[in-house]
């Protein structure tokens, strides 16, 4: 349900914006997602930009729907929308559990 077109891989992002997307997903406990390294395929790199009509990489898709790039994902993370969008996909954000742990203290 989560796909990221990025520079590099989740284990080794090759640009700061791709790294930020990986870190945001990791914060939410999203480990099981498909990542495509656009640096390996120039046709894919240009094709995904044409498909989404979005000029930059990384690009994040939730359930096949284009969400945005690093800036959009960061904004969704900060305002809580990402938790809700993940819930729609049947993914419980790890941040919800972290909040519960904080409340217990």
């Amino acid at each position: 349900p989560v796909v990221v077109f990025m520079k590099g891989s989740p284990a080794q992002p090759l640009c700061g914006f791709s790294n930020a997307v990986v870190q945001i997903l990791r914060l939410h406990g999203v480990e099981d997602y498909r990542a495509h390294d656009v640096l390996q395929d120039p046709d894919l790199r240009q094709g995904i930009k044409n498909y989404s009509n979005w000029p930059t990489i990384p690009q994040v898709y939730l359930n096949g729907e284009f969400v945005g790039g690093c800036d959009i994902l960061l904004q969704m993370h900060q305002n809580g929308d990402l938790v809700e969008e993940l819930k729609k996909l049947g993914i419980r954000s790890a941040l919800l559990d972290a909040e519960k742990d904080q409340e217990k203290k």
Side-chain angles (χ1 to χ4, degrees):
V2 180
V3 178
V4 180
F5 291 88
M6 60 184 293
K7 294 177 181 174
S9 67
Q12 191 171 17
L14 296 177
C15 83
F17 298 112
S18 291
N19 184 51
V21 165
V22 168
Q23 295 305 320
I24 291 167
L25 291 174
R26 191 171 290 149
L27 271 174
H28 287 269
V30 180
E31 300 286 336
D32 186 23
Y33 61 94
R34 182 163 292 174
H36 298 280
D37 181 0
V38 299
L39 297 178
Q40 300 297 318
D41 185 346
D43 291 336
L44 175 63
R45 185 177 186 173
Q46 189 55 51
I48 199 64
K49 291 177 185 182
N50 294 345
Y51 176 80
S52 64
N53 199 25
W54 191 261
T56 60
I57 302 292
Q59 293 188 13
V60 179
Y61 289 77
L62 301 178
N63 234 15
E65 185 177 327
F66 176 62
V67 175
C70 175
D71 53 342
I72 303 295
L73 200 68
L74 179 60
Q75 183 179 23
M76 290 174 69
H77 164 68
Q78 290 172 335
N79 68 19
D81 288 349
L82 187 54
V83 170
E84 294 304 313
E85 291 302 314
L86 291 173
K87 187 187 295 183
K88 292 177 189 175
L89 302 176
I91 300 171
R92 180 177 170 78
S93 171
L95 291 183
L96 294 173
D97 298 327
E99 287 174 7
K100 282 184 181 175
D101 290 345
Q102 287 297 328
E103 290 171 7
K104 290 178 184 175
K105 292 180 181 177

